[in-house]
Amino acid sequence: MPALVLLGAQWGDEGKGKATDLLGGSVDYVVRYQGGNNAGHTVVVGDQKYALHLLPSGILSPGCTPVIGNGVVVDPSVLLSELSGLNERGVDTSKLLISGNAHIITPYNVTVDKVTERFLGKRKIGTTGRGIGPTYADKINRVGIRVQDLYDESILTQKVEAALDVKNQVLTKLYNRRAIAVDQVVEELLGYAAKIEPYVADTVLVLNQALEDDKVVLFEGGQGTLLDIDHGTYPFVTSSNPTAGGACTGAGVGPTKISRVIGILKAYTTRVGAGPFPTELFDEDGEALRRIGGERGVTTGRDRRCGWFDAVIARYATRVNGLTDFFLTKLDVLTGWEEIPVCVAYEIDGKRVEELPYSQSDFHHAKPVYETLPGWSEDITSAKSFSDLPKNAQNYVKALEEMSGAPISAIGVGPGRDETIEINSFL
Ligand code: GDP
Ligand code: IMO
Ligand code: MG
C-alpha cells in the first residue's frame, strides 16, 4: 500500500492538522518528519478542540500509530507535557514511537534562539522561540544531542560539554549572558530519559516493514513549502525541509515508496513572523480575513498576517513537491465578499512574471497582479458535495485548481472533521 505525504503549500497554518486527522482514521501510521514544537496543528473532533505542537495529529485516531521520525527535533519537556495533557483528556498515547535518531532541543538551544532573535533586532526572523534553528544548527555542526544519547550518561555528558564549549563563550562574551552549566543540563535531560524510553524505537525499520506489509503510512508535514530552508523565502524560513523530499530523509523511507503528495492550501494566504508576502493586506479586508478565519497563531498567539490567494505560490508548491492533489481549506471564510481578488502573476520592475522568482530581491518587491472573481453570500458550512456549493464558489475552486497545477481533491468548509467535501478519495 502507498505512502502519502501531506504538507503545507503556503507559509504554514493551512489546516494540516485537520486534514491529517481526517485521514487518520483510515491510515495505519501518521509520521512527523521534520520541525518540532514550532508547529501548531488544531484538530477539532466533535465538540473537542486539540492543539498539537510536536505530536503527529494521528495520535487522536485510536487505530493509528503516531511516529516522530528522525528528522524531527524533540523538546522532551514539551513532549511529556503534551502527552500528559492528552492522557488527562482520555486520549491513549501508548502507541507513540519516537526515533532514537531524532535530535533533542536542549534548554541551551532555546536560550540561543531567543538571544539571537533579540540580537538581530529589526532584522529578526520572528521565530517561535522554541529552539528549532539552533537545534538543527547543532545537528548539522555535529554537536547535537540525540534521543538515544539520553541512555548513555557518559556520552551525553561529553556531547553536552562539546556543545556548550563554544556556546558559553558566545553567550558570555558576545551576548553578555550567564554561562550554562553542563551538569545542570545533563541532570535535566537524564530526568526525562526513563519517561521517554518506552516510546523509543527504530522507526526507520518499523516504517519500512509496515510498507512491506501493505500498511498505509501518512507523512504529516509541519510548517509549509515557503518556510522550507531550501525552497522557502530564505532567510525568513524555518530550519528544516517541510517539502516532500523531507519526508524521505526525515523518516528514512525511499522516494519510490511515496505515491501521493497532498498540498494543503488555504483559500487565501497567511503568514506568521517576518518576511516577504506579496498579497498581504493592510486594510479592512485583511482584518476581516483575520477575524473570520480566526487567524491567530496556535503556538505563539501572534496575529497572522493575511492576504488574498496567491496562485504563483501554489504553482511553485506543485512544482517543488511534485504535488498530486490539493486539499483546499477554509473556503467558508471567504463567504460574504462580493468579489474576491486572486493573485495570478507578479509585476517585478514593470515586467509581468508568472513564476516565483528565484532572486530574493525580486521577490521582496514583487507586486501582485490580481484577477477578480465573483463571490458568494450563501452559507456553505453544511455543503457535503461539490454541487452543494453556490455556482460562484464552485467557479472560485475551479479557477484556483486551474491556476495551481494540481486537482483539488477535497475542500474544507469548516474546522470539524465532517465539514469537508471529498471530491477524489485520497486512499
Ligand atoms: P496547521 O498548522 O496547518 O495544522 O493549521 P492551524 O491549525 O495552525 O490553523 C488552521 C486553523 O483553521 C485551525 O484553527 C483549524 O481548526 C481551522 N480550519 C481548518 N480547516 C478549516 C476549514 O476548512 N474552515 C474553517 N473555517 N476552519 C478550518
Ligand atoms: P505549522 O506547522 C506558521 C515560522 C515562524 C517564523 C519562521 C521560523 O503550524 O504550520 P522557527 O521557530 O521555526 O525557527 O521560526 O517560521 N513558523 C511557522 N509559521 N506555522 C508554523 O507551523 C510555523 N512554524 C514556524 O513564525 O517566521
Ligand atoms: Mg499551525
Side-chain angles (χ1 to χ4, degrees):
M1 253 316 257
L4 298 89
V5 183
L6 190 157
L7 52 82
Q10 294 149 323
W11 275 287
D13 303 323
E14 299 90 348
K16 299 175 291 293
K18 172 191 156 164
T20 304
D21 172 65
L22 186 70
L23 297 178
S26 329
V27 306
D28 300 295
Y29 293 81
V30 172
V31 188
R32 279 283 306 269
Y33 56 89
Q34 48 67 236
N37 58 308
N38 48 347
H41 297 178
T42 315
V43 179
V44 179
V45 185
D47 60 355
Q48 295 288 309
K49 188 169 171 176
Y50 300 88
L52 301 167
H53 297 284
L54 175 60
L55 296 171
S57 302
I59 201 140
L60 299 172
S61 301
C64 173
T65 302
V67 179
I68 293 181
N70 55 276
V72 175
V73 287
V74 178
D75 184 324
S77 65
V78 172
L79 172 73
L80 294 171
S81 73
E82 209 165 308
L83 285 171
S84 63
L86 288 177
N87 295 153
E88 278 161 24
R89 295 175 71 179
V91 177
D92 175 17
T93 56
S94 60
K95 284 183 157 180
L96 175 69
L97 300 178
I98 303 173
S99 166
N101 285 352
H103 279 246
I104 296 268
I105 302 179
T106 63
Y108 52 79
N109 293 134
V110 177
T111 304
V112 170
D113 192 358
K114 291 180 176 155
V115 171
T116 312
E117 281 282 275
R118 214 168 300 147
F119 198 72
L120 281 169
K122 272 204 304 218
R123 289 172 296 134
K124 72 177 179 186
I125 308 293
T127 72
T128 58
R130 300 300 191 264
I132 306 295
T135 305
Y136 278 114
D138 278 3
K139 173 177 174 174
I140 301 299
N141 277 332
R142 292 160 296 188
V143 292
I145 312 292
R146 295 191 291 177
V147 168
Q148 58 180 290
D149 299 328
L150 300 181
Y151 305 100
D152 186 328
E153 186 172 347
S154 145
I155 292 272
L156 178 67
T157 309
Q158 284 174 40
K159 290 192 171 180
V160 173
E161 259 166 16
L164 279 177
D165 213 19
V166 177
K167 272 182 202 75
N168 272 336
Q169 303 278 340
V170 175
L171 282 172
T172 53
K173 295 184 181 151
L174 185 64
Y175 295 125
N176 232 345
R177 304 271 300 204
R178 250 183 286 155
I180 295 170
V182 172
D183 294 356
Q184 222 173 315
V185 173
V186 170
E187 195 187 317
E188 179 177 335
L189 294 179
L190 287 176
Y192 301 124
K195 293 180 194 135
I196 294 175
E197 199 166 13
Y199 305 111
V200 181
D202 183 348
T203 54
V204 175
L205 187 62
V206 170
L207 291 172
N208 279 285
Q209 278 175 344
L211 287 166
E212 291 281 305
D213 293 343
D214 276 350
K215 303 284 186 212
V216 186
V217 178
L218 176 69
F219 297 98
E220 176 189 14
Q223 295 76 53
T225 300
L226 276 298
L227 286 172
D228 185 281
I229 186 85
D230 286 279
H231 302 292
T233 48
Y234 190 90
F236 301 101
V237 291
T238 192
S239 299
S240 65
N241 290 114
T243 48
C248 297
T249 45
V253 166
T256 49
K257 300 284 194 311
I258 292 167
S259 54
R260 204 117 179 222
V261 185
I262 307 159
I264 312 301
L265 187 67
K266 212 181 273 194
Y268 50 97
T269 315
T270 63
R271 171 162 209 173
V272 195
F277 178 179
T279 63
E280 183 168 16
L281 294 166
F282 300 94
D283 56 9
E284 60 270 28
D285 281 330
E287 200 42 59
L289 286 173
R290 190 172 304 117
R291 191 183 63 251
I292 302 166
E295 297 298 352
R296 180 176 283 259
V298 186
T299 299
T300 56
R302 289 178 289 180
D303 274 353
R304 293 173 182 155
R305 301 157 64 193
C306 295
W308 299 123
F309 183 82
D310 186 335
V312 182
I313 278 173
R315 280 198 288 280
Y316 180 74
T318 303
R319 188 159 65 239
V320 296
N321 295 300
L323 294 182
T324 55
D325 305 77
F326 280 114
F327 186 140
L328 186 71
T329 61
K330 303 190 97 161
L331 186 65
D332 53 301
V333 174
L334 294 178
T335 299
W337 266 274
E338 239 166 72
E339 293 188 316
I340 310 170
V342 171
C343 169
V344 293
Y346 300 140
E347 191 197 300
I348 301 172
D349 297 333
K351 281 204 201 95
R352 185 183 165 107
V353 175
E354 304 279 340
E355 301 299 343
L356 200 87
Y358 76 87
S359 148
Q360 187 198 347
S361 323
D362 284 349
F363 191 57
H364 272 264
H365 61 270
K367 292 198 198 90
V369 175
Y370 286 116
E371 222 170 71
T372 302
L373 302 174
W376 59 93
S377 56
E378 301 89 332
D379 178 19
I380 61 167
T381 51
S382 52
K384 293 282 170 258
S385 70
F386 189 68
S387 58
D388 291 342
L389 292 174
K391 250 305 104 345
N392 285 349
Q394 291 186 12
N395 288 339
Y396 185 80
V397 174
K398 281 192 210 146
L400 263 45
E401 181 172 82
E402 202 157 297
M403 292 169 191
S404 305
I408 292 175
S409 294
I411 303 167
V413 290
R417 260 182 200 169
D418 52 348
E419 290 170 309
T420 308
I421 297 172
E422 288 191 61
I423 299 170
N424 305 309
S425 168
F426 288 114
L427 296 163

